[in-house]
Amino acid sequence: MHKFVVEGGKELIGEIRISGSKNEVLPILAATLMTDERSIIRNVPNLSDVRLMLEILEELGCQTTFDRGTVTVTPYNLDRTQASYELVSQMRASFCVLGPLLSFRKKAKVSLPGGCVIGVRPVDLHLRGIKALGVNYDLDHGYVVADGSQMQGTRIFLGGNSGSTVTGTANIMMAAVLANGTTYIEQAAPEPEVEGLARMLNSMGAQIFGAGSHRIEIRGVDRLRGADYTVQPDRMETATYAVAAAITHGDLTLTNSKYENLIAFWEKLKETGTQVEQIASDKIRVRGGEINPTDIVTFAYPGFPTDAQAPMASLLSLANGISIVTDTIYPDRFMLIAELNRMGADIRKQNNSAIINGTKHLSGAQVMGSDLRATAALVLAGLAAKGETEVHRVYHVDRGYEQMELKLAKVGARIERAEYNPRRRKSDREAA
Ligand code: EPZ
């Protein structure tokens, strides 16, 4: 296993290039299943989640290449319509192959994804959507076994108790593209990643209107061409490195970035006293100043993104006052608290909120990552802590941040990746 060893206290100065978006590229790759022509996807980040999605596409009868940020996908065996538990259970977003398989290959057997530490993460809204489209399906031994041969466009309400669903909207939008007739998705997820997927599908010949809003219209078409699509910058990577500048009182320019799809995040970051300036259409300069407290409540886009609440919690643990961070999307997404408190933070969980009483400094410690964003947030805390921090289980970071330690070292961070063998308790060793 790998860990990051971080020596805190260095101000980060310089430029960080933002990679392509993980949460956009995963459904984009699934969409290449909707044609028998070759697709080219550019600005693809080299992440373990991306490599896993390519494995799933190969299991589904596609030949793939991935070279210097460009992926090609060439479907050659359309009879392969089963996505296995071994692969799907490792990454929830792989459930997004369901819609594409149903729309073009007319049948699918896809493992239900598991939950994860941030929540139960059901797929009931995805299933509500395909059922409304006329798909007959069974839940059989942990798989969705579905027949898409009779799909008919319809009006679908896709809202759940926690609001809209991002990958659910992606799945149903893809399922509807090749259905007979027109589909309307009400309370669709308006995230930029959904808008990007629609843009790519329309470049392949789809007829999608209103993506990026809460109502999407999809007029069914007969077939799609191969795609040639460039992935947009990763919003969450941008937010994470913006906090890196703030928490180290540094001065970072984030290049190949996009300001306008993180408005709620920038507003909150500025409230802490951080200086944020868009210096070009794809460049954002972030300078750390004092760290003032602020209150955050996460909402679906364009509200404050749940994926940015952990990095912000690390920053607010050093604020000169009390902050409250509430997650309305994932009420239990606070595994980070216990680890930050081991570094000297003073945070307590109350229902779906973290009450953060800012401290003057954090102390380096051995800490353990629990999920993608919490592990990134621990690296940020280590950059600011006094002394050395070891962040264990950095495979979480490798899922969604391309070469994080190299990007941070390039702007002055003292961080390196090291191997370690997770020690087992004596009793476990004896039992083994
Ligand atoms: C996407 O996950 C992102 N992942 C998540 O990012 C992000 O946190 C999440 O959207 C919310 O913005 C990708 O895009 C690959 P949802 P998704 O369906 O689509 C509930 C990261 O760190 N819900 O929008 O799986 C659900 O429990 C990851 O990059 C249902 O109840 O999330 C949650 O409370 C983590 N039934 C809320 O809706 C369903 O059928 C939003 O979930 C589906 C979802």
Side-chain angles (χ1 to χ4, degrees), residues 5-7 38-39 61 73 120 134 142 209 227 235 245 258 264 328 344 347 363 366 397 417:
V5 181
V6 188
E7 184 64 37
R38 167 172 299 187
S39 290
V73 180
V120 175
F209 308 90
R235 293 190 300 136
K258 203 168 177 181
T328 65
I347 309 174
S363 305
Q366 289 181 313
V397 160
R417 183 184 290 260

Side-chain angles (χ1 to χ4, degrees), residues 112-132:
L112 286 163
C116 69
V117 293
I118 68 175
V120 175
R121 308 196 70 186
V123 289
D124 57 306
L125 300 175
H126 298 240
L127 299 177
R128 179 202 292 175
I130 62 168
K131 187 172 183 182

Side-chain angles (χ1 to χ4, degrees), residues 34 173-174 176-178 197-209 217-225:
M34 296 172 67
M173 188 165 72
M174 290 188 280
V177 161
L178 297 172
L197 173 63
R199 207 167 33 250
M200 171 189 157
L201 290 167
N202 283 344
S203 75
M204 297 166 76
Q207 294 215 336
I208 302 172
F209 308 90
E217 177 185 351
I218 304 111
R219 296 176 196 161
V221 296
D222 293 334
R223 61 175 284 103
L224 295 182
R225 301 180 291 274

Side-chain angles (χ1 to χ4, degrees), residues 127-147:
L127 299 177
R128 179 202 292 175
I130 62 168
K131 187 172 183 182
L133 284 168
V135 172
N136 296 314
Y137 72 86
D138 290 315
L139 301 183
D140 180 30
H141 295 91
Y143 281 80
V144 177
V145 183
D147 167 11

Side-chain angles (χ1 to χ4, degrees), residues 98-99 102-103 125-137 147-156 158 168-185 218 220:
L98 179 66
L102 288 172
S103 66
L125 300 175
H126 298 240
L127 299 177
R128 179 202 292 175
I130 62 168
K131 187 172 183 182
L133 284 168
V135 172
N136 296 314
Y137 72 86
D147 167 11
S149 57
Q150 305 298 324
M151 283 206 283
Q152 184 65 39
T154 186
R155 186 177 297 275
I156 303 168
L158 215 47
T169 301
N171 237 340
I172 301 313
M173 188 165 72
M174 290 188 280
V177 161
L178 297 172
N180 298 319
T182 297
T183 297
Y184 297 91
I185 302 177
I218 304 111

Side-chain angles (χ1 to χ4, degrees), residues 21-78:
S21 165
K22 166 184 87 78
N23 289 351
E24 185 186 55
V25 75
L26 294 174
I28 289 279
L29 290 171
T32 64
L33 292 164
M34 296 172 67
T35 175
D36 54 5
E37 296 183 10
R38 167 172 299 187
S39 290
I40 302 173
I41 314 297
R42 305 175 195 278
N43 192 35
V44 177
N46 187 4
L47 304 170
S48 55
D49 273 10
V50 167
R51 296 192 295 272
L52 177 59
M53 183 58 95
L54 294 179
E55 273 188 70
I56 292 169
L57 293 181
E58 288 178 359
E59 183 181 56
L60 293 168
C62 301
Q63 192 259 334
T64 71
T65 67
F66 188 7
D67 180 34
R68 289 190 296 273
T70 297
V71 162
T72 66
V73 180
T74 310
Y76 65 87
N77 181 345
L78 305 186

Side-chain angles (χ1 to χ4, degrees), residues 85-106:
Y85 174 78
E86 291 68 31
L87 295 177
V88 173
S89 58
Q90 296 177 52
M91 177 182 65
R92 173 187 169 78
S94 41
F95 197 62
C96 274
V97 301
L98 179 66
L101 289 173
L102 288 172
S103 66
F104 184 57
R105 303 187 186 183
K106 304 304 178 191

